[in-house]
Amino acid sequence: MPETCLLFNAAAGSAAAAEPLVREFLQRNDVEFHATSGPGDIPKFTHSAVERGLRRLIVAGGDGTITKVITSLAPDFGQVELAIVPLGTGNDFARSLSIDAADIASALENATFGAARPVDLVRITDEAGTGYLINAASGGVAGKVAAEVDSDDKQVLGPFAYWLAAVNELTDLQEYRVSLDLDDEHVQLDVYGMYFANGRYVGGGFTVAPDALLDDGLLDITTIPAMPPVELLAAGMSFALGWDDGRARLRTFRTRRVHFLAEPDMHFSVDGEPTRAIEASLEVLPGAARIVPGPAAEAFSSDASNRS
């Protein structure tokens, strides 16, 4: 029996184009193939993977598919290694792992034969129960803008497109009073939006947590403060360029856990999937999952390769 199985989300953004290449690759390697047939298929399959003792589960899909697999594995995260073949529209978590969505052949090779590393997960607890975050949660204007930036603008303007779009939204923005109970401080801020980030990117490649590491046991928080349009644009541009004044003006935090409350309620997108307004506690689960990064992944601590 194969020790590795590829879970293929046929509804993912580039799945149709990639499927012939995936099937041809699997014919040459001892990897089992399973295509999802509906929303309830992922939990059933991941439970089966644990019960059957599979060594590795390759997830061929987007960020939302990866999160569904992670959630379905709880609390047995570490019993099955995970690898990723990015087939979604954003593929932001794969980007933090330095896996190129444009090179499916290399992604398949890496997913099958690459070495897994410990990766942090984030547990989200609110009145509705418990969920998990692997890449980023975007709230307020943060989620809205990332979804609406035109693909042509991304090509021409790169990271600046995000902040130009944010400023364009300022005529119709909700301001929030946010309370953050962090590890060692309590903070109150007036913001238009914010990110809770394990990975570095959202919206198909916009950097929102440039220093985030996937194995440091810390959650990176980036806020979009309520400020005049010209100031916000300047701060956003500085942030996109990696300048210290941009990071200071946008207010960033790093913490192991945080309790979050916003007035009025702030709606969030979690790993690209829309969700409700939440008052929630977020806690990092250090090294909870074992995931295969790309061969030149940078979003890891310097000693990550030495960990078991």
Side-chain angles (χ1 to χ4, degrees), residues 2 6 8 14 16 20 30 40 45 77 82 88 99 114 133 151 156 161 173 178 181 183 186 205 234 252 270 297:
L6 185 143
F8 185 83
S14 59
D30 190 21
F45 181 77
F77 302 118
L82 296 179
I99 299 171
L133 167 74
S151 59
V156 176
L173 278 188
V178 166
D181 285 309
D183 287 338
H186 173 78
T252 62
V270 177

Side-chain angles (χ1 to χ4, degrees), residues 9-186:
N9 180 6
S14 59
E19 185 169 1
L21 181 61
V22 170
R23 289 187 178 274
E24 191 275 333
F25 176 85
L26 298 184
Q27 286 178 357
R28 295 184 283 106
N29 296 278
D30 190 21
V31 178
E32 183 181 313
F33 178 88
H34 182 89
T36 60
S37 57
D41 206 28
I42 290 177
K44 292 178 183 177
F45 181 77
T46 52
H47 293 159
S48 172
V50 171
E51 291 173 356
R52 293 163 54 201
L54 283 178
R55 182 182 65 86
R56 177 170 297 183
L57 175 57
I58 300 172
V59 183
D63 292 331
T65 307
I66 299 165
T67 302
K68 288 183 177 70
V69 169
I70 287 289
T71 300
S72 299
L73 283 173
D76 302 312
F77 302 118
Q79 292 195 25
V80 180
E81 294 178 349
L82 296 179
I84 294 166
V85 176
L87 300 181
T89 54
N91 300 309
D92 287 304
F93 184 62
R95 189 172 281 105
S96 282
L97 292 170
S98 300
I99 299 171
D100 186 0
D103 189 350
I104 298 301
S106 293
L108 284 164
E109 192 78 18
N110 180 71
T112 305
F113 303 110
R117 289 183 176 180
V119 171
D120 300 338
L121 300 177
V122 181
R123 180 168 55 209
I124 305 175
T125 306
D126 64 7
E127 61 182 13
T130 301
Y132 297 90
L133 167 74
I134 195 165
N135 184 57
S138 307
V141 71
K144 183 178 181 182
V145 172
E148 292 184 357
V149 177
D150 186 85
S151 59
D152 290 339
D153 288 341
K154 288 183 187 180
Q155 293 283 340
V156 176
L157 300 172
F160 301 115
Y162 182 90
W163 297 104
L164 288 171
V167 170
N168 288 336
E169 293 283 346
L170 288 180
T171 56
D172 188 31
L173 278 188
Q174 174 70 60
E175 185 174 322
Y176 302 89
R177 182 67 171 173
V178 166
S179 173
L180 299 173
D181 285 309
L182 307 168
D183 287 338
D184 52 8
E185 64 177 322
H186 173 78

Side-chain angles (χ1 to χ4, degrees), residues 290-302:
R290 291 189 59 81
I291 299 178
V292 180
E298 297 179 352
F300 285 85
S301 302
S302 59

Side-chain angles (χ1 to χ4, degrees), residues 194-207:
M194 61 191 309
Y195 303 93
F196 297 110
N198 190 40
R200 295 181 173 183
Y201 307 96
V202 300
F206 293 114
T207 306

